[in-house]
Amino acid sequence: MTPADYETDAVRLREALARALADDGVLADPGWRAAVEKVPRHAFVPGFYLPADQRDEQGLTMWEPVTAESDHGRWLAAAYSDTTLITQFDGDEPDWKALRVRHGGAPTSSSTLPSLVVRMWADADVQEGHTVLEIGTGTGYSTALACERLGSADVTSIEVDPHRLHRAAAALYSRGYTPTLAVADGLYGYWPEASFDRIVAACSFRAVPPALLAQVRPGGKILLTLSGWLYGYARVLLTVGADGTAEGQLLDGTVSFMSARTHAAPAFGNPAHWAAGLPETGRLARHSPERITAATEEAFHLRFLAQCAVPDAQLTTVGEVAHLVDVVTGSAATLTPHEDRWEVREGGPVKLWERVEAVLSAYDEADRPGPETFTLHVYDGGQHLRHPHLPGLPLPRP
């Protein structure tokens, strides 16, 4: 099949993708629909990984490489599906000429599913005439959509990984998009092009980076995802005031993004070593760890609230035992099931599960409020998540 055939098929698939997203209510704005119909996503993903149907003998996900040369039909169909396409693991740049199946690994770069990309631009209320900073160029597909809608002159995109940015720049320029691009850490924004009307982050942060507030015009907005070491997530749309403070509500939905690399969780060693230092006997837990680990929207929301209570804790499960480990304070806790109850053992200066239980109990007493009822306040003294009927929850220092 020739490149011309690729383009013909791609046009048809782009139109089908745009129709599907419009039918789902994602593309209500005709400007963004036109961008989806115009931008060739396949040009930004010459290779990617898709999960195999089965895991390997050690239970690890097997990731199959897909390129135009290896399987043209599968490659093009996936490029125009509403799917996140993984393009890098563990910070290692893949060699698409020497394909091999990967076993496990942590995704560190991807092309985000188109519905979420468009939703982010729409949620940030990006309009013609706005100057925009995108944090996390990735493959460049989202950047191209912004350029198509706003014009390249109003778009700045930064990426911490120079190899990723090099590939994205080549794809963007080859298609006529010329935004300002730079290798930079999103934690600090990009001062040379400030101030911006909008900042949109395609990675997550433990707290709102102060530099971003200083780079937005008064009345401008920042859309970002908050995350942490418990892998709890929440999206927030902040409006920046003239005094440099910001305020905004959490948005609903179960959206997650890879952490900014400087905010990634540290290694904590062997859970058994932490458990060995705990008291031999414990107490009955007031709440099950399943409250924050279940595959439900409520658990997704509760995991973020719990994370605010113990921001330095990490959670892992070995067999049936849940381990909470805090490498900052040296605290730890285990939760062990006994029939229909859980026993908790805690040690160290911070009673980790006791703090989580306090948040869960307060949440229940407040009639289980949804994310959209919480407001994040960012000011000189810190960052606090507030609710009319719950105690304030601080975010970790940026």
Side-chain angles (χ1 to χ4, degrees):
M1 185 172 286
T2 67
D5 294 326
Y6 292 174
E7 296 299 327
T8 299
D9 287 347
V11 169
R12 174 179 54 81
L13 290 170
R14 277 201 301 279
E15 292 174 348
L17 174 62
R19 282 196 302 273
L21 296 181
D23 289 344
D24 289 342
V26 176
L27 284 178
D29 186 316
W32 289 115
R33 176 165 183 166
V36 171
E37 291 175 338
K38 183 73 179 293
V39 175
R41 191 186 188 203
H42 70 279
F44 297 89
V45 285
F48 48 82
Y49 293 92
L50 295 176
D53 293 334
Q54 296 180 336
R55 294 177 179 266
D56 68 10
E57 62 276 6
Q58 295 181 332
L60 298 174
T61 299
M62 293 193 295
W63 296 92
E64 298 174 343
V66 181
T67 66
E69 291 73 22
S70 66
D71 190 335
H72 171 266
R74 189 183 187 194
W75 168 74
L76 199 60
Y80 289 104
S81 65
D82 191 29
T83 305
T84 292
L85 305 174
I86 306 300
T87 55
Q88 187 193 74
F89 287 88
D90 302 317
D92 298 328
E93 199 63 24
D95 181 358
W96 298 116
K97 300 299 183 183
L99 303 182
R100 64 183 183 88
V101 174
R102 289 196 61 102
H103 294 252
T108 48
S109 190
S110 67
S111 177
T112 303
L113 66 163
S115 61
L116 178 53
V117 170
V118 176
R119 177 181 170 187
M120 287 175 62
W121 290 124
D123 284 347
D125 190 27
V126 174
Q127 303 290 337
E128 287 84 353
H130 283 163
T131 54
V132 172
L133 171 64
E134 176 189 42
I135 297 174
T137 312
T139 65
Y141 174 66
S142 174
T143 316
L145 290 175
C147 290
E148 187 65 42
R149 175 66 190 276
L150 304 176
S152 296
D154 287 333
V155 178
T156 298
S157 186
I158 60 175
E159 169 63 49
V160 71
D161 186 326
H163 298 291
R164 289 284 90 201
L165 190 69
H166 176 77
R167 288 179 177 271
L172 285 161
Y173 296 154
S174 71
R175 295 291 171 155
Y177 301 114
T178 57
T180 298
L181 300 174
V183 176
D185 189 333
L187 191 64
Y188 306 103
Y190 197 62
W191 286 102
E193 295 296 316
S195 293
F196 302 98
D197 295 298
R198 298 289 186 271
I199 295 180
V200 177
C203 61
S204 62
F205 297 96
R206 297 185 73 202
V208 181
L212 301 189
L213 272 65
Q215 294 177 33
V216 174
R217 296 187 179 96
K221 297 181 180 181
I222 301 172
L223 177 69
L224 53 75
T225 302
L226 300 168
S227 66
W229 298 347
L230 280 183
Y231 298 102
Y233 296 90
R235 287 197 313 149
V236 63
L237 180 61
L238 295 166
T239 299
V240 178
D243 58 355
T245 63
E247 181 178 314
Q249 287 183 312
L250 300 189
L251 305 180
D252 60 4
T254 54
V255 174
S256 60
F257 276 104
M258 299 171 192
S259 295
R261 297 191 185 184
T262 48
H263 279 196
F268 59 80
N270 187 335
H273 297 165
W274 292 84
L278 297 178
E280 292 186 5
T281 59
R283 62 174 175 83
L284 290 179
R286 289 184 288 146
H287 295 278
S288 156
E290 293 163 342
R291 291 289 306 272
I292 64 172
T293 60
T296 64
E297 285 197 24
E298 183 181 58
F300 188 93
H301 173 44
L302 281 177
R303 197 176 184 96
F304 178 74
L305 298 182
Q307 180 176 270
C308 291
V310 287
D312 298 322
Q314 298 180 66
L315 176 67
T316 188
T317 300
V318 180
E320 294 184 317
V321 180
H323 296 259
L324 278 169
V325 173
D326 181 342
V327 301
V328 177
T329 66
S331 304
T334 62
L335 290 119
T336 305
H338 293 288
E339 297 181 351
D340 60 343
R341 298 185 176 186
W342 291 78
E343 180 192 56
V344 58
R345 295 186 298 141
E346 298 178 285
V350 178
K351 298 297 183 283
L352 298 175
W353 193 247
E354 186 175 307
R355 285 195 179 182
V356 172
E357 287 179 321
V359 170
L360 297 179
S361 294
Y363 169 82
D364 290 341
E365 291 168 7
D367 201 22
R368 301 186 173 188
E372 68 284 353
T373 64
F374 289 80
T375 302
L376 180 64
H377 299 262
V378 184
Y379 50 94
D380 286 342
Q383 304 182 19
H384 280 78
L385 191 64
R386 303 193 189 281
H387 185 277
H389 306 299
L390 288 169
L393 291 169
L395 270 62
R397 288 194 171 275

